[in-house]
């Protein structure tokens, strides 16, 4: 009997992400929190925390959108615009700093 209890305790130990997910899914399917807590050997508070984290992660994933092919093109064009703006600014600065060209008059 004592050996059996030790095996169950070792079995309960640390929970992998997979085991946590399975426990949370059982809760979401309607299993009683207290009964699952006793079975798994973790407190109801811990199970509730796992459930909240699981749901928050799911919500965050639903908010994000899949990247589209146009996204790469937009990034490329933004980089090009930035480069052109820098070149334009450098040319404008060079034009402001340069002295006027001397006027050559013919004659003699």
């Amino acid at each position: 009997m004592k050996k059996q209890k030790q095996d169950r305790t070792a079995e309960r130990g640390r929970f992998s992400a997979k085991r946590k997910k399975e426990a949370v899914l059982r809760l979401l399917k309607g299993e009683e929190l207290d009964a699952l807590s006793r079975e798994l050997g973790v407190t109801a508070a811990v199970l509730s925390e796992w459930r909240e984290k699981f749901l928050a992660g799911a919500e965050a994933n639903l908010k994000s959108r899949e990247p589209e092919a146009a996204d790469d093109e937009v990034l490329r064009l933004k980089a090009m615009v930035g480069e052109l703006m820098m070149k334009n600014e450098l040319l404008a600065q060079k034009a402001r700093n340069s002295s006027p060209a001397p006027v050559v008059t013919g004659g003699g």
Side-chain angles (χ1 to χ4, degrees):
M1 173 94 172
K2 195 171 190 177
K3 171 82 170 134
Q4 209 174 28
K5 188 172 184 176
Q6 286 176 343
D7 289 344
R8 277 171 69 205
T9 304
E11 198 177 272
R12 291 178 180 180
R14 294 189 54 142
F15 284 79
S16 66
K18 182 180 177 184
R19 286 184 66 199
K20 289 177 183 179
K21 178 190 73 171
E22 290 168 354
V24 168
L25 290 175
R26 289 173 64 182
L27 284 174
L28 294 176
K29 289 178 182 176
E31 284 195 42
E32 291 292 325
L33 180 64
D34 291 336
L36 189 57
S37 170
R38 282 190 299 276
E39 178 187 329
L40 298 177
V42 296
T43 65
V46 168
L47 283 173
S48 295
E49 182 182 338
W50 293 350
R51 180 181 54 209
E52 295 308 312
K53 287 181 179 180
F54 182 88
L55 293 173
E59 184 177 347
N61 281 319
L62 292 174
K63 287 182 180 178
S64 66
R65 66 177 182 88
E66 293 294 319
E68 298 174 7
D71 291 343
D72 289 337
E73 182 68 2
V74 167
L75 289 174
R76 187 184 71 77
L77 292 172
K78 282 183 178 182
M80 185 184 294
V81 167
E83 187 178 332
L84 291 172
M85 287 176 69
M86 286 188 337
K87 286 181 181 179
N88 194 26
E89 182 60 33
L90 289 172
L91 287 172
Q93 187 177 13
K94 188 175 181 180
R96 284 191 301 270
N97 292 339
S98 67
S99 57
V103 178
V104 179
T105 57

